C-alpha cells in the first residue's frame, strides 16, 4: 500500500507534463471538422480481433482474440492502447500498439472477477488505475521494466460501502466503476452502487465526497438533480472524463440518459442535455438532443465529446459527438441492427456495433478506437 502511495505522489510531475486533452486518456488534437457525412467520410474497420469470435490470443490484427473487451485508455507516453478484456476466457489488461499487435499486459484471473474502468496514472508509460466493482476496490498498475508486464497493487477499498474512512486504505466502495485523474494527480471514482462520486487526494492521504447524494443503501435507484456536491444526484456512473482545460469533469449519466458537467473548483453539477424520462438518441441542439444510455466517452482538445448511445431495449450502438463549443449533438457511426447485422464495417451510419464498452482517441485526433464487447473485437474509426 505504501509503495503505491509514494509512486502516485512522486511521479505526478511526469504525468502533468503529458498533453492535456479533454479525456481520461490525455490525447486528441481537437482538429476535427464539423461532422457532416456529405462532406467527408467516417470509416469503420476492425482493428484487432475477429468479429463474433471470442478467445484470449496474443497476435496481430484479426489473428488476435478478445473475450468481451470493455473499457480502454490510450497512453500517449508509449503510443499504446490498453483494453480491459473481461470475458469467460479470462480477465486481463491487453496492450495494442498502433500496428495492431496485441499482447497481454496484466493477467487478472487469479485475483479479479470484474473490471469497472481503467485510466492513466501518473508515472512511467503503462501506469494505470483500475476499478473492480465486485472487489469494491481501486488498484494501481505499474510496468515492470525487467519483464514489460504490469504489476498490480491495491490502492483503496476496505469492505463494501460508501465510507471515506480515516485514510485512503481505510475507505470503502460499492461497485466502483468510472474513474479519471485531474492535473494535480487526484483520482475521481464513480461509486456506482451508491450513485456518488468520490475523490482520492494522495497528497492528503484521504478519500472525500465530491458529488452525488448517497443512496439510502447499495443498489437503490439514483436521482436526477443538478446542484452542488452532495446536493446533486446521479443514476449510473460508468465513466468520467476531464475537460480540455482541466477545470471540469464530463459524466455520461447512464440511467438518466444525460451528459453532465461537474466544475472541479466548486463541485457544481449541471446538465448539458438529456432527460431521464425519454432515453432517446435524438440529434440536434442541446435543448432538444437526447442521449439513450450514454455509457463511455472520450473527447479532444476542442471539447468535442464522443460518446456511445442506444435505445433501451433496441440492439445496436451509435457513436455520437457532442460539440461543447456550439452546443450540438450529431451521430457519426453505427445504428440499429439485429442478429449478424450487429457487426458490420462500413462508412458512418452504415457500420454496426454490438455493445460498445470502451472508447479512446489517438493524439492526432484522426482515429477513434472502440471496444465492441459482444463482437469480441476492437474497432477503428477514421474521422478524416
Amino acid at each position: 500500500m505504501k509503495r503505491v502511495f509514494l509512486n502516485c505522489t512522486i511521479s505526478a510531475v511526469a504525468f502533468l507534463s503529458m498533453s492535456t486533452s479533454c479525456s481520461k486518456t490525455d490525447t486528441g488534437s481537437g482538429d476535427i471538422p464539423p461532422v457532416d457525412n456529405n462532406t467527408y467520410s467516417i470509416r469503420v474497420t476492425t482493428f484487432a480481433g475477429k468479429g463474433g469470435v471470442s478467445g484470449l490470443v496474443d497476435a496481430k490484427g484479426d489473428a488476435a482474440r478478445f473475450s468481451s473487451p470493455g473499457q480502454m485508455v490510450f497512453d500517449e507516453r508509449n503510443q499504446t492502447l490498453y483494453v480491459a478484456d473481461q470475458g469467460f476466457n479470462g480477465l486481463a489488461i491487453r496492450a495494442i500498439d498502433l500496428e495492431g499487435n496485441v499482447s497481454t499486459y496484466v493477467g487478472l484471473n487469479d485475483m479479479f472477477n470484474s473490471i469497472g474502468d481503467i485510466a492513466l496514472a501518473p508515472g512511467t508509460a503503462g501506469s494505470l488505475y483500475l476499478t473492480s466493482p465486485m472487489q469494491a476496490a481501486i488498484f494501481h498498475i505499474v510496468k515492470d521494466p525487467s519483464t514489460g508486464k504490469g504489476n498490480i497493487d491495491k490502492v483503496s477499498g476496505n469492505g463494501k460501502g460508501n465510507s471515506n474512512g480515516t485514510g485512503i486504505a481505510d475507505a470503502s466502495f460499492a461497485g466502483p466503476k468510472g474513474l479519471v485523474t485531474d492535473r494535480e494527480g487526484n483520482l475521481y471514482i464513480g461509486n456506482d452502487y451508491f450513485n456518488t462520486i468520490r475523490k482520492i487526494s494522495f497528497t492528503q492521504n484521504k478519500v472525500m465526497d465530491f458529488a452525488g447524494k448517497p443512496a439510502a443503501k447499495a443498489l437503490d435507484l439514483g436521482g436526477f438533480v443538478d446542484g452542488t456536491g452532495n446536493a446533486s444526484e446521479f443514476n449510473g456512473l460508468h465513466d468520467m472524463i476531464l475537460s480540455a482545460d482541466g477545470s471540469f469533469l464530463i459524466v455520461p449519466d447512464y440511467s438518466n440518459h444525460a451528459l453532465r458537467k461537474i466544475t472541479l473548483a466548486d463541485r457544481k453539477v449541471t446538465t448539458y442535455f438529456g432527460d431521464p424520462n425519454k432515453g432517446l438518441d435524438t440529434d440536434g441542439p442541446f435543448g432538444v438532443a437526447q442521449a439513450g444510455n450514454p455509457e463511455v466517452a472520450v473527447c479532444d482538445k476542442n471539447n468535442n465529446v464522443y460518446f456511445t448511445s442506444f435505445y433501451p431495449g433496441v440492439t445496436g450502438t451509435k457513436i455520437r459527438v457532442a460539440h461543447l463549443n456550439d452546443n450540438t449533438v450529431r451521430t457519426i457511426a453505427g445504428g440499429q441492427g439485429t442478429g449478424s447485422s450487429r457487426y458490420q464495417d462500413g462508412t458512418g451510419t452504415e457500420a454496426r456495433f454490438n455493445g460498445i464498452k470502451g472508447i479512446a482517441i489517438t493524439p492526432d485526433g484522426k482515429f477513434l478506437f472502440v471496444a465492441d464487447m459482444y463482437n469480441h473485437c476492437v474497432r477503428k474509426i477514421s474521422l478524416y
Side-chain angles (χ1 to χ4, degrees):
M1 186 66 214
K2 183 177 180 182
R3 183 177 70 80
V4 172
F5 173 70
L6 289 176
N7 193 332
C8 292
T9 56
I10 290 173
S11 59
V13 173
F15 183 64
L16 298 179
S17 68
M18 297 167 56
S19 66
T20 52
S21 68
C22 171
S23 72
K24 66 181 173 183
T25 65
D26 244 302
T27 60
S29 70
D31 196 14
I32 297 169
V35 174
D36 184 346
N37 286 334
N38 292 321
T39 60
Y40 81 108
S41 181
I42 302 288
R43 298 177 303 281
V44 179
T45 57
T46 300
F47 182 63
K50 186 173 183 179
V53 182
S54 66
L56 188 62
V57 178
D58 291 342
K60 183 176 181 178
D62 62 5
R65 294 291 181 268
F66 297 87
S67 183
S68 301
Q71 280 278 10
M72 57 171 53
V73 62
F74 189 87
D75 193 341
E76 189 175 349
R77 295 168 293 190
N78 60 357
Q79 299 294 295
T80 299
L81 182 68
Y82 293 98
V83 183
D85 203 2
Q86 45 192 324
F88 293 108
N89 289 293
L91 270 68
I93 303 298
R94 314 289 293 282
I96 313 175
D97 67 21
L98 291 178
E99 299 300 318
N101 296 297
V102 180
S103 60
T104 298
Y105 182 51
V106 185
L108 301 173
N109 266 353
D110 295 335
M111 61 186 82
F112 277 78
N113 51 20
S114 66
I115 303 171
D117 195 6
I118 55 175
L120 295 182
T124 57
S127 297
L128 306 171
Y129 290 120
L130 176 151
T131 53
S132 176
M134 297 303 292
Q135 288 181 284
I138 295 89
F139 296 84
H140 186 216
I141 299 172
V142 178
K143 181 181 285 188
D144 185 333
S146 64
T147 65
K149 302 296 184 181
N151 293 327
I152 188 163
D153 288 291
K154 189 176 180 180
V155 173
S156 185
N158 182 21
K160 296 183 178 181
N162 196 58
S163 170
N164 293 328
T166 58
I168 292 175
D170 191 45
S172 64
F173 297 86
K177 291 185 180 178
L179 77 166
V180 65
T181 50
D182 66 18
R183 293 184 180 179
E184 284 70 48
N186 299 305
L187 185 62
Y188 300 85
I189 302 102
N191 200 34
D192 190 54
Y193 293 177
F194 280 92
N195 290 301
T196 60
I197 296 174
R198 316 274 292 285
K199 176 181 177 180
I200 295 180
S201 170
F202 292 100
T203 57
Q204 299 179 65
N205 187 29
K206 70 177 184 179
V207 178
M208 60 196 83
D209 296 334
F210 184 70
K213 178 183 177 181
K217 63 180 183 297
L219 297 176
D220 275 3
L221 291 177
F224 182 66
V225 176
D226 287 343
T228 299
N230 292 91
S232 62
E233 296 183 20
F234 299 88
N235 193 13
L237 297 166
H238 298 187
D239 197 16
M240 292 180 286
I241 54 179
L242 186 67
S243 68
D245 64 1
S247 67
F248 58 91
L249 300 182
I250 300 163
V251 181
D253 195 347
Y254 182 79
S255 295
N256 279 328
H257 312 300
L259 196 70
R260 317 284 292 279
K261 173 184 177 180
I262 311 175
T263 306
L264 295 184
D266 59 8
R267 302 191 297 152
K268 183 179 180 180
V269 178
T270 54
T271 299
Y272 285 115
F273 62 90
D275 186 329
N277 297 313
K278 293 184 178 180
L280 306 177
D281 57 0
T282 307
D283 289 342
F286 281 1
V288 300
Q290 299 297 326
N293 292 112
E295 186 161 16
V296 293
V298 69
C299 56
D300 62 28
K301 292 179 181 178
N302 279 350
N303 285 338
N304 298 312
V305 180
Y306 298 89
F307 66 99
T308 60
S309 182
F310 71 96
Y311 282 114
V314 178
T315 56
T317 310
K318 292 183 178 181
I319 303 291
R320 303 169 69 199
V321 57
H323 301 285
L324 301 190
N325 293 333
D326 67 7
N327 300 329
T328 59
V329 179
R330 307 184 189 189
T331 298
I332 64 169
Q336 298 179 25
T338 59
S340 60
S341 70
R342 284 175 283 177
Y343 172 72
Q344 181 175 308
D345 289 339
T347 301
T349 54
E350 294 177 356
R352 292 293 181 268
F353 307 92
N354 191 10
I356 297 173
K357 301 296 181 179
I359 188 169
I361 193 168
T362 55
D364 59 11
K366 291 183 178 180
F367 304 104
L368 289 174
F369 295 102
V370 298
D372 196 349
M373 175 173 274
Y374 305 119
N375 283 324
H376 307 294
C377 60
V378 175
R379 315 284 289 280
K380 180 179 180 179
I381 303 175
S382 301
L383 297 171
Y384 285 90

